[in-house]
Amino acid sequence: MKYLAYIILSIIVLSTTSVAQKEITVESIWQNYEFFPNRVPGFNFLQDGRNYTRLEGNVIKKYDITTGDFVEDIFNGDRIAGQRGFEGTFDAYTFNHNESAILIEANKESIYRRSYLADYYVYDFVSERLTPIYTDNKIMNATFSPDGNHVAYVLKNNLYYFNIEKELTFPITFDGKTNEIINGVTDWVYEEEFSIVKAFWWSPDNKRIAYLRFDESEVPEYTMTYHRDQVYPEYYTFKYPKVGERNAEVSAHIYDLSSEESSPVNIGDMDDQYIPRAKWTNNPDELCLFKMNRHQNHLQLHIVNAVSNKSRILLEEKNKYYLNIHDNLNFLKDGKHFIWTSE
């Protein structure tokens, strides 16, 4: 009887397994998206520690974390539709430092896998004032300063910042040019290999902006043909370094808002090197830059003093094969320690 029970159990298990298994096809993954996780769009925890917000349609709704109950609508795009070019619909939002305002992202237009253009607005909850960041063209990666008084963004390969109260725009770079010079956002290689598009970072004291500059003028070009509904195809040419071809020359710079000047950062030889990440420490004078070789198996974290431009190596890792780039670097408030996820 004991052996018979084992046989019956085995048959049940095998039958259940065969029924549960499902053929995985390319169509089921990429056409029907059957295996993609469900996501909650526009989800943000609030600073009170008790509530969170999420985007539902054109409304930002507040919920109680402990009960899951709806609390209130904190922003309804439809109610201010028509004001200063805002159509009422939007795709995402970001709170400022004290949650007194939000940065609204609307009318997204994709460029590559992660990069896109959009219209951006700041809505102030206290004054109920809506302020467009730029009205003549869509822009990229608009980001609040830590104090919420400014917004930095990229337009046509140049970096700018916008004074919200005065509604004044200040240029940071001037040499941006399609397929030649990129400031403040990454090239195609960084977007694909390092999952990064925004390449500028506000200092904690709001006084500086660090950014990357890509010189891709010597990178070979690649032309893609788009066959849409028109009679003739559309041709799109961009900088695309194949294996062994020349990469863009990348350099880091720090812009000082008071002096209105940019200074290049010195972290040694940058021949065939990447800067896949950057982050300010809790000291507003210290910037941490990730430096990695093209083979992507040798990583250095450089601490750069924004005043003296002197740098030192904080951490170095090597691997025979490959090192994965991530964002898990946290500087502690004591100014002496940091947490790093190491391979």
Side-chain angles (χ1 to χ4, degrees):
M1 289 296 293
K2 181 171 69 174
Y3 295 108
L4 179 61
Y6 283 142
I7 293 173
I8 294 174
L9 179 61
S10 300
I11 293 172
I12 293 173
V13 170
L14 289 172
S15 300
T16 304
T17 303
S18 63
V19 171
Q21 287 180 342
K22 180 180 179 180
E23 183 182 5
I24 298 176
T25 64
V26 173
E27 289 75 17
S28 65
I29 298 173
W30 297 111
Q31 180 174 317
N32 303 323
Y33 297 102
E34 294 179 19
F35 302 98
F36 272 54
N38 291 325
R39 300 181 183 274
V40 180
F43 185 92
N44 287 285
F45 284 107
L46 296 180
Q47 294 178 10
D48 59 14
R50 183 178 178 88
N51 297 285
Y52 68 91
T53 63
R54 59 170 293 186
L55 179 60
E56 298 181 16
N58 298 324
V59 182
I60 301 175
K61 294 181 176 290
K62 181 196 287 188
Y63 291 90
D64 188 301
I65 295 173
T66 59
T67 65
D69 294 337
F70 167 74
V71 178
E72 63 177 335
D73 291 340
I74 66 170
F75 178 78
N76 189 326
D78 295 328
R79 292 179 182 174
I80 60 170
Q83 291 188 27
R84 308 196 67 178
F86 180 57
E87 298 174 354
T89 60
F90 61 106
D91 306 296
Y93 65 97
T94 307
F95 285 100
N96 66 350
H97 70 297
N98 62 2
E99 299 172 349
S100 63
I102 53 173
L103 181 61
I104 303 168
E105 189 176 287
N107 305 317
K108 289 175 63 174
E109 180 183 325
S110 294
I111 302 175
Y112 299 127
R113 185 194 302 264
R114 297 174 177 84
S115 54
Y116 57 88
L117 299 163
D119 295 319
Y120 289 89
Y121 304 83
V122 172
Y123 181 77
D124 189 289
F125 292 115
V126 178
S127 65
E128 298 184 350
R129 174 188 176 193
L130 182 72
T131 305
I133 303 301
Y134 191 78
T135 56
D136 293 340
N137 292 96
K138 292 181 180 180
I139 59 179
M140 295 181 68
N141 297 112
T143 306
F144 272 127
S145 60
D147 61 8
N149 294 331
H150 301 89
V151 171
Y153 65 89
V154 174
L155 169 66
K156 296 181 178 180
N157 288 15
N158 279 315
L159 182 61
Y160 300 81
Y161 78 92
F162 177 77
N163 184 302
I164 300 171
E165 181 181 359
K166 297 179 181 179
E167 296 194 24
L168 293 175
T169 299
F170 300 88
I172 295 176
T173 65
F174 301 88
D175 59 347
K177 187 176 181 180
T178 301
N179 284 344
E180 289 192 17
I181 304 296
I182 309 173
N183 295 289
V185 293
T186 62
D187 67 353
W188 184 91
V189 173
Y190 277 56
E191 183 170 345
E192 283 297 311
E193 296 192 18
F194 300 123
S195 303
I196 178 177
V197 176
K198 186 175 78 72
F200 65 84
W201 302 267
W202 283 96
S203 64
D205 61 0
N206 314 281
K207 295 180 179 180
R208 302 182 181 97
I209 300 176
Y211 66 94
L212 300 184
R213 178 184 184 270
F214 294 83
D215 183 345
E216 56 177 5
S217 55
E218 299 299 320
V219 176
E221 292 183 342
Y222 188 89
T223 299
M224 294 179 62
T225 305
Y226 289 100
H227 296 276
R228 307 186 195 274
D229 294 330
Q230 63 267 53
V231 177
Y232 295 97
E234 176 185 340
Y235 298 100
Y236 177 73
T237 300
F238 64 108
K239 296 290 185 170
Y240 177 73
K242 292 187 177 182
V243 175
E245 296 292 341
R246 187 163 183 171
N247 266 336
E249 295 180 6
V250 61
S251 56
H253 303 257
I254 297 177
Y255 177 80
D256 187 288
L257 273 67
S258 59
S259 67
E260 300 181 359
E261 294 182 352
S262 287
S263 301
V265 173
N266 181 18
I267 54 172
D269 181 22
M270 287 302 299
D271 184 35
D272 240 0
Q273 301 289 307
Y274 296 122
I275 306 178
R277 293 288 188 276
K279 185 174 186 177
W280 290 90
T281 72
N282 292 319
N283 180 344
D285 292 337
E286 290 188 341
L287 174 69
C288 180
L289 292 171
F290 292 37
K291 179 180 177 180
M292 175 173 266
N293 63 336
R294 185 166 182 173
H295 194 64
Q296 299 184 33
N297 66 347
H298 183 191
L299 174 68
Q300 295 176 331
L301 304 190
H302 288 255
I303 295 293
V304 179
N305 187 290
V307 179
S308 66
N309 199 21
K310 293 181 179 180
S311 66
R312 59 183 172 86
I313 296 177
L314 175 69
L315 179 145
E316 186 169 17
E317 288 194 356
K318 296 181 180 180
N319 187 285
K320 184 178 179 180
Y321 303 105
Y322 173 76
L323 286 168
N324 188 39
I325 286 295
H326 57 74
D327 296 295
N328 301 325
L329 171 64
N330 294 284
F331 294 98
L332 302 186
K333 293 182 179 180
D334 63 6
K336 299 179 180 179
H337 301 90
F338 66 94
I339 298 174
W340 167 256
T341 301
S342 172
E343 292 196 18

